[in-house]
Amino acid sequence: MSLNSLLLATDVPPIPAAAQCRADYDGRLGPMIDLAQAVPGTPPPQELLDRLGAAGRDPARTTYGPIVGDLDLREALAADIDTTYAASIGPGDLAITSGCNQAFFVTMLALARAGDAVILPVPWYFNHKMTLDMLGIAAVPLPCRAENGFVPSVAEARALISAETRAIVLVTPNNPTGATYPPAVIEAFQDLASETGLMLVIDETYRDFLPEGQTRPHDLFRHQGWRNTTIHLYSFSKSYAVPGYRLGAIMGDARILSEIGKILDCMTICPARVAQGAIAWAIEGIRDWRAGVRQTINRRAALFRDVIAASPGWSVSAIGAYFAYVRHPFVDSGEAAAARLARKCGIITLPGTFFGPAQQDHLRFAFANVDDGEIATIGERLLHAILPTQT
């Protein structure tokens, strides 16, 4: 059997691999705490669930829709972006996708071809790296360091640009580190893209979970000419607690979206329609609920930070949105450290090595899907990780 060599060389999905550790835990410290995957910790409010159910019974939602998504959702999202960024955005600036992973995939396919290069900050979101590998696009690592809060450097990015470079990717708030990039840094990257003729692709899946007190992520979309330099990616999965409905979005210049439309037509013809109308209503309809979830997530982040600070040998290098990037106390590799936590403590995490080179000292904890009580027990469990194995 002959298969695509690029696909064969792509890493396997990390989440299922991490789940295999479940079988090694004997349950002595209580139920397994799964902090591997970024999953919303609460379901959507009942009114949204009711609207999703009604949409599922609507014959009109069983037909094909526009390639770039239903107009009502694009209009509602454009208004939400106007509110969030103090920008002037219209539905023609947007395309709805089947999740943000698809948004990234089709954007990369539109911007680059095999042999080209894209600058990707490290630690990187593993699905971004997998996408580039499948497409034969070189992922050029832009190192982000704990001493700088895992915020990327514009000067270092500039030094990495070559004739093959087509784009720079940013993810903020970041997956896996949780770091939220300062607006001035983000805007400096847009300046770099404008100066060099590259595209800045900014994935803001977690933009609704900014730290308390920060109301606007940045001012990119208030700058004249942003459509020539910037593509924005978004996901409804986390903010609306509907990851199973697979809805994301791309915002960019109409000329780019027209080309991306060719790809979307070949992939999905149109994004799944059941959820689109319900989410269009929910953008305003559950705004207060979303604000409450943001407060809950930020409270859990503070609680998690305190728990780790009280755990000898452990330290939080960065935290925010759904994630904490934690330095572990072992000489083991990241994979061995994660396996130790699963086996001895009943905690499933992802090793930093899943997120790029030179990450063996860290583990990613996705704490959003557990409650305050479960977070409070993590410190006691971590003590068992450093105890000798009992026979």
Side-chain angles (χ1 to χ4, degrees):
M1 182 182 298
S2 178
L3 296 175
N4 183 337
S5 60
L6 294 174
L7 180 61
L8 293 173
T10 300
D11 290 339
V12 298
I15 299 296
Q20 295 176 3
C21 295
R22 288 180 177 275
D24 297 330
Y25 175 56
D26 62 10
R28 73 180 73 181
L29 300 180
M32 181 76 76
I33 299 177
D34 191 343
L35 304 177
Q37 189 170 26
V39 181
T42 55
Q46 187 60 48
E47 190 170 3
L48 176 53
L49 290 172
D50 291 343
R51 287 174 180 267
L52 288 167
R57 296 187 297 272
D58 182 359
R61 293 287 172 179
T62 66
T63 63
Y64 289 123
I67 293 171
V68 294
D70 291 350
L71 180 60
D72 58 350
L73 179 54
R74 288 185 287 121
E75 287 178 333
L77 179 57
D80 183 56
I81 291 171
D82 285 353
T83 299
T84 303
Y85 297 91
S88 180
I89 304 298
D93 296 314
L94 293 162
I96 304 302
T97 59
S98 297
C100 196
N101 271 5
Q102 187 188 68
F104 183 81
F105 195 102
V106 299
T107 297
M108 291 300 105
L109 194 56
L111 294 180
R113 58 185 179 181
D116 289 339
V118 169
I119 294 174
L120 208 59
V122 178
W124 50 47
Y125 173 43
F126 46 74
N127 282 149
H128 286 175
K129 175 61 161 53
M130 291 169 67
T131 291
L132 296 177
D133 289 346
M134 289 180 197
L135 296 175
I137 301 167
V140 179
L142 171 58
C144 302
R145 301 173 180 86
E147 58 267 28
N148 297 324
F150 287 103
V151 174
S153 161
V154 175
E156 289 189 63
R158 182 189 298 276
L160 295 173
I161 295 172
S162 70
E164 290 74 36
T165 308
R166 298 292 174 264
I168 302 170
V169 174
L170 299 181
V171 181
T172 180
N174 187 259
N175 179 3
T177 65
T180 299
Y181 301 163
V185 171
I186 298 171
E187 291 161 34
F189 270 98
Q190 187 183 60
D191 291 341
L192 176 62
S194 178
E195 174 190 337
T196 57
L198 303 178
M199 290 302 298
L200 174 65
V201 179
I202 180 165
D203 182 332
E204 294 189 84
T205 292
Y206 298 93
R207 58 102 157 156
D208 294 313
F209 303 99
L210 292 174
E212 293 298 332
Q214 184 173 345
T215 57
R216 191 159 67 231
H218 50 72
D219 286 327
L220 293 188
F221 310 127
R222 301 180 72 186
H223 294 174
Q224 194 72 17
W226 72 263
R227 291 172 180 83
N228 296 322
T229 61
T230 307
I231 296 176
H232 171 268
L233 309 182
Y234 181 64
S235 172
F236 297 94
S237 295
K238 308 306 191 299
S239 301
Y240 298 83
V242 289
Y245 280 96
R246 309 310 306 132
L247 283 179
I250 304 171
M251 186 171 77
D253 182 77
R255 294 166 298 175
I256 297 175
L257 293 181
S258 177
E259 297 305 313
I260 285 175
K262 299 176 186 177
I263 308 169
L264 292 172
D265 188 44
C266 291
M267 285 185 130
T268 50
I269 300 180
C270 67
R273 302 194 66 211
V274 167
Q276 290 189 61
I279 297 300
W281 165 83
I283 287 175
E284 282 302 322
I286 65 168
R287 186 174 291 277
D288 289 345
W289 179 86
R290 289 192 288 139
V293 171
R294 174 187 175 183
Q295 292 175 350
T296 297
I297 295 299
N298 282 332
R299 187 187 70 246
R300 288 178 185 165
L303 176 59
F304 187 89
R305 183 190 292 276
D306 290 345
V307 167
I308 297 300
S311 301
W314 297 81
S315 62
V316 172
S317 295
I319 191 168
Y322 272 42
F323 307 107
Y325 209 54
V326 178
R327 190 181 297 275
H328 64 77
F330 310 116
V331 295
D332 304 346
S333 67
E335 290 94 333
R340 179 196 291 253
L341 253 61
R343 184 181 67 254
K344 299 186 69 173
C345 308
I347 299 174
I348 301 181
T349 63
L350 292 185
T353 44
F354 283 5
F355 303 99
Q359 303 302 310
Q360 62 270 16
D361 293 339
H362 284 85
L363 300 172
R364 189 194 78 172
F365 290 72
F367 55 80
N369 64 321
V370 295
D371 60 29
D372 294 7
E374 289 175 296
I375 291 176
T377 70
I378 288 173
E380 181 179 351
R381 292 194 183 211
L382 292 180
L383 290 175
H384 289 264
I386 59 177
L387 295 174
T389 301
Q390 300 298 311
T391 58

